[in-house]
Amino acid sequence: MAALTPSPDVSPVSLTNGYFAGDSFPPPNSNSKHSVSPVIVTNSHSKTKRSVKLATGTAPHGHFRTRLTVNGKVRTMSQSSSTDRELSTEVVGQQTGQSTDEPRPNPRKRQNSDTVDYPRRRATIACEICRSRKSRCDGNRPKCRLCTELNAECIYREPGIKLDAGDKLILQHLNRIEGLIATNMLANSRGNSPIMAAYSPPSSVNGSEHGQVPPRSLNGSDLLTSRSGSNASAGIGMTPLPLNGLGTWNHSTSNISTMPRKHTTPALHLLKWPMIENLVSRPYDPQVLLQEEMGREPLNLEPPQSLNLNQIDKYAHAFFERVNIWYACVNPYSWRSYLAKARGTGFRQSGESCVVLLVAALGSAGLAGSMSQQPPNAEAPGLPCFAAAWAMLPSLMTRNNTLSAQCHILASAYLFYIVRPLEAWSLLTNTSMKLQLLLSGPRQTAKNDREMNERVYWNTLMFESDLLAEMDLPHSGIVQFEETVGLPVGFESEDVEPAGKDELWYFLAEIALRRLLNRVSHLIYTKNNPHMSTAALEPIVLELDRQLTQWYENLPMPVRFPHDRVELSSPIQTVLRLRYFACRTIIFRPYILLALRDESSMQDLTVQECCRKCLESCIRQLDHIREHHAGHIPYLWQGALSMVSQTLLIMGATLSPSLSKLLPPQDQMDGIIEDVLREINRYAHLAPSMQLSADILREADLRRHMMRDAQQRGLKRERAGFV
C-alpha cells in the first residue's frame, strides 16, 4: 500500500513507496509502468466520501511521479491546494491509526490555503557577471539583461556534473575498493590477465588505458599511450578540485601513477639487504641523505653590484639550444618581448626581468658543462645572473600568477644544476601552491597561458617525484590534478620569429616514463607489502616490463635510442636510454633480493631470467659512466644516486655464488666499479649527500674485496681438504 506523507519543503503531497521521490530505483515488486491504488478518504469537516486513486509512474529520468484522481479530477504532485493538504493529513492518519480530527498545522507552510505554491523560477546557469554581483540572472543568450545594460561580455560557465551525498558516498566506496585492489597486489592472480587494468584509474572517469598519459600528437605521431581525450583537452581550471595543501596526502590510492607516501625505492634502502648490509660497518637510516642536506649551510646569495649583460643574447641562444629541451617552460615566441620589458626596466623588480636573468643563468650553465667538471672552489657558471634573479623571488612569492610560477620552476632548475635539492624543493612547494590556486578556480585563460600552466605543472610534478623517490619529504598535494591537466601541444606563433626551438619530444616522453616509474614504486615498493611472494610478483613485473617496452616502441624516431652498446651523439637519446635502463632495473630488482635471501631460489628459471635482466640493466647504466654527463643539467643529483643504487646492487651480486655467474668476468666488473667510484668522487664536493654516498661506496668496495678474498680462501681450503 502506497503511503502519502507531507513534504513541507517540496510539495504538499508526495508518494514515496518506501523510497525518496528523487531515487532512481523502481518500486519493489512492480512489473508495470504505473500502479494504481484506490483509497477512500473521508473528510471530517464535510462528512463526505471521495474516491481517491493514487497512480505512480516513472518519470523520464527514473524519478517517480504521482497523480491523484479525486472524484474524477486529476491532480499532479506539483499542484497545491487546501484539498491536497487535507488528503495528505487524512490518509496518513488512516494508515497510522491516528485521529485526524484535530488539525496539524505545519509552521513551515503558508497559512493561506487559497494560493497555489509555484516553484520560483531560476536561471539554470548564471553568467559570470551575475555570479560576481550575486544578482539574479535571467539566462538569456547570448546576453542576459544585466550584461546588456552594463554593455559587458556575458560569459556562461559550462554546467558540470552535480553530485549529491549518495553519489559521493558511492564514489568513496569505489575509490576504497580500487585502493584495496591496488595494495593487495593480486596475490592470487595468475595467467595472462592484464594486471594493470585493475591498477589504473577508473576508465569510467578518465577513459585511461593502463594508466598512460594522453596522446597529444605532434606531426601526426602518437608519442604516448592513450589516456582520456577529454582530460587532455580540458582547459586549465575548468574542473574545481579541493586543495589538500602542503604536507597533506590524499588517501585514495586509485591513481598509482603518482609517488606513494611510503616506499622502499631509495638507494640506501639496499643497505638493509642480505649480503649488501655486510658491506658497511654500521647501519644507515635510509633518510640519512635528507638529514645531511638539512644540516647543510644555507645558500646565501648577495645580489651583484654590477651585472654584465652584454652576452645575454649568447646565453639565450644556448638556453634554447641546450636547456629548454629538458624543461620546455619558456615560450620562444614571447622571449623578445620579455627581453624588451626587462631592458626597459633596467632589469629591476619584475617577472619578465626574473625570467630573463634565469634564462641567462641556465644558458651559461649549458655552455659550461657539468658541475662535476668544474674546479671545487670555482664560482658556478651563471651564478651572478641567478643571484640577481634570486633577489627578485621574495616579491614574486606573493604573486599567484603564471609568470611567478614560471620564475620559480626556472629557479628550481638552476638549483638542481648546482646540486641544491632541498632549496629546489622549497621553491617547488611554493610553485605547487600557486598552481593549485591557478588550476582550482574557473578561469578564462588564453591559449598560451594555459599551455604555460600545463608545462610548469608537469615540470613541478616530475621534479617533486624525483625528490620523493630518494627522500621522505612532505607531498605538496599537486598530484590531485594529475588526471585533469592536459599535456602541452605547442605555443601559438603570435606572428613573430621564435627565439629558438620548442621541441616537446623529450618532455612528453619523460612525463610518460616518470608516471611509469611512480607506478613501479606503487606496485612493488610500497611499505604496505614489503615481501611479496613469487606468485604475486611475477604477473606485476611482467606487466610493468610490457608497459616499459610499449613506452620505448612508441617513442618517435628523433628520440628513439638503440639498445646496442654504442655511444650516442644525441644527449636526449643518451638520457632517455639511461632512464630506460634505470626503470628496467627497479622493475626486476625484487628478484635480486629474493636470490640474496635464498640461493636455492635461483633454481627457478623465471627467477634466474629476471635476475639476469636486472643485472644487465645495471651494467648498461654503469658501463659508459661518462654518459651521465649528458643529463648534467636536469639529472646530476638524481643520476648520481641512481649510480650509487646500481653499484651497491652489483657489489652484492658479485658476492653471491649464483648471481655472480650472471655477471661479466671479475676483472671487467672491478673496472666498472672503479670507474663509478672515480665519478662519484668528482661529485662529493657538490653536496653533503654526495659526499656521504661516495664514502659509503668506498667503504663498500673495500669490504667487498675483503669478503671476496675470504670466500676464495675458503674455497681453496675446501678443495685442498677434498683432495
Side-chain angles (χ1 to χ4, degrees), residues 86 119 142 213 256 261 335 347 351 441 448 482 556 597 617 628 682:
E86 293 171 1
V213 290
I256 59 168
R261 185 68 180 87
W335 165 253
F347 293 93
N448 278 348
E482 194 260 351
R597 281 194 179 133
S617 298
H628 288 265
R682 295 191 183 101

Side-chain angles (χ1 to χ4, degrees), residues 1-4 15-18 36-40 52 54 91 94-95:
M1 181 65 183
L4 287 174
L15 179 66
T16 64
N17 271 343
V36 181
S37 302
V39 181
I40 303 298
V52 181
L54 306 179
V91 173
Q94 286 187 4
Q95 292 179 349

Side-chain angles (χ1 to χ4, degrees), residues 365-674:
L367 289 174
S370 173
M371 277 291 293
S372 64
Q373 305 301 312
Q374 308 301 319
N377 298 323
E379 183 180 73
L383 191 62
C385 291
F386 178 76
W390 183 263
M392 300 181 187
L393 285 178
S395 63
L396 293 171
M397 285 183 179
T398 58
R399 302 180 191 176
N400 298 307
N401 54 34
T402 302
L403 185 59
S404 177
Q406 183 185 11
C407 292
H408 280 73
I409 204 66
L410 288 170
S412 299
Y414 186 84
L415 289 171
F416 271 113
Y417 169 72
I418 62 174
V419 199
R420 285 279 182 169
L422 272 192
E423 287 85 346
W425 173 79
S426 297
L427 290 186
L428 288 172
T429 56
N430 193 280
T431 311
S432 174
M433 295 300 106
K434 296 179 188 302
L435 288 172
Q436 291 185 58
L437 289 174
L438 291 171
L439 300 177
S440 295
R443 290 175 177 268
Q444 295 297 324
T445 311
K447 183 180 183 302
N448 278 348
D449 289 340
R450 182 172 71 248
E451 179 79 6
M452 183 59 70
N453 282 337
E454 292 172 350
R455 297 187 184 204
V456 173
Y457 173 83
W458 288 111
N459 272 294
T460 305
L461 185 63
M462 289 191 292
F463 275 148
E464 182 176 88
S465 297
D466 286 339
L467 288 168
L468 294 175
E470 296 295 344
M471 295 192 292
D472 188 11
L473 294 167
H475 293 240
S476 70
I478 197 173
V479 295
Q480 63 185 314
F481 297 91
E482 194 260 351
E483 288 294 333
T484 61
V485 176
L487 291 175
V489 294
F491 292 108
E492 290 184 344
S493 62
E494 300 180 357
D495 298 327
V496 295
E497 186 69 20
K501 295 183 292 186
D502 183 38
E503 296 178 355
L504 293 174
W505 294 123
Y506 170 82
F507 192 61
L508 294 174
E510 182 58 34
I511 291 173
L513 187 60
R514 182 67 258 178
R515 298 181 81 239
L516 179 55
L517 285 164
N518 293 348
R519 208 170 301 141
V520 174
S521 297
H522 252 291
L523 299 180
I524 298 179
Y525 294 99
T526 52
K527 289 187 176 180
N528 295 333
N529 197 1
H531 306 306
M532 294 170 52
S533 64
T534 307
L537 184 64
E538 181 180 351
I540 298 174
V541 167
L542 291 178
E543 175 60 29
L544 291 171
D545 186 47
R546 186 194 68 80
Q547 291 190 26
L548 180 61
T549 302
Q550 187 181 38
W551 171 85
Y552 171 78
E553 292 174 349
N554 286 334
L555 288 175
M557 293 310 298
V559 296
R560 184 181 297 181
F561 51 85
H563 285 97
D564 301 334
R565 282 184 167 88
V566 295
E567 293 191 22
L568 302 173
S569 58
S570 168
I572 299 172
Q573 291 180 325
T574 302
V575 170
L576 286 178
R577 185 166 68 177
L578 289 172
R579 299 282 281 175
Y580 168 84
F581 284 117
C583 184
R584 198 162 186 254
T585 298
I586 66 169
I587 288 176
F588 290 101
R589 199 171 75 179
Y591 285 95
I592 301 295
L593 175 60
L594 185 63
L596 291 176
R597 281 194 179 133
D598 183 9
E599 289 283 335
S600 63
S601 63
M602 288 292 288
Q603 297 176 3
D604 188 333
L605 295 180
T606 300
V607 175
Q608 189 177 121
E609 177 62 17
C610 290
C611 288
R612 185 195 64 79
K613 291 179 179 179
C614 179
L615 295 176
E616 180 189 35
S617 298
C618 278
I619 296 172
R620 291 300 303 274
Q621 293 177 77
L622 305 177
D623 204 1
H624 299 288
I625 198 65
R626 295 182 66 85
E627 287 185 346
H628 288 265
H629 295 173
H632 69 94
I633 290 183
Y635 291 121
L636 191 148
W637 183 76
Q638 302 94 312
L641 291 180
S642 178
M643 286 189 281
V644 172
S645 174
Q646 318 317 337
T647 306
L648 288 173
L649 203 64
I650 290 292
M651 287 181 177
T654 60
L655 299 175
S656 167
S658 55
L659 290 176
S660 60
K661 296 177 182 178
L662 304 177
L663 295 172
Q666 177 178 313
D667 293 343
Q668 183 179 346
M669 291 308 305
D670 289 346
I672 291 175
I673 293 175
E674 288 174 5

Side-chain angles (χ1 to χ4, degrees), residues 124 127 157 160 183 209 356 519 528 563:
T124 304
C127 71
R157 184 190 306 176
T183 53
E209 179 182 358
V356 170
R519 208 170 301 141
N528 295 333
H563 285 97

Side-chain angles (χ1 to χ4, degrees), residues 9 21 25 45 58 71 84 216 227 251 274 278 306 311 342 412-413 428 471 473 504 570 606 643 650 685 690 692 708:
D9 295 327
F25 306 100
H45 298 284
T58 304
N71 290 340
D84 295 335
R216 306 298 284 271
R227 195 176 68 172
H251 293 282
N278 298 326
S306 61
Q311 294 184 313
S412 299
L428 288 172
M471 295 192 292
L473 294 167
L504 293 174
S570 168
T606 300
M643 286 189 281
I650 290 292
H685 69 280
M690 294 293 93
L692 179 61
R708 190 175 63 187

Side-chain angles (χ1 to χ4, degrees), residues 312-336 338-339 355-356 359-360 362-364 366-367 406 410 452 455 491 497-503 572:
I312 190 71
D313 293 330
K314 173 185 174 182
Y315 294 149
H317 178 75
F319 175 85
F320 284 108
E321 287 292 324
R322 304 186 182 192
V323 180
N324 202 42
I325 189 67
W326 309 114
Y327 309 113
C329 60
V330 176
N331 186 350
Y333 297 100
S334 61
W335 165 253
R336 290 188 175 88
Y338 275 36
L339 183 57
V355 168
V356 170
V359 165
L362 288 167
S364 177
L367 289 174
Q406 183 185 11
L410 288 170
M452 183 59 70
R455 297 187 184 204
F491 292 108
E497 186 69 20
K501 295 183 292 186
D502 183 38
E503 296 178 355
I572 299 172

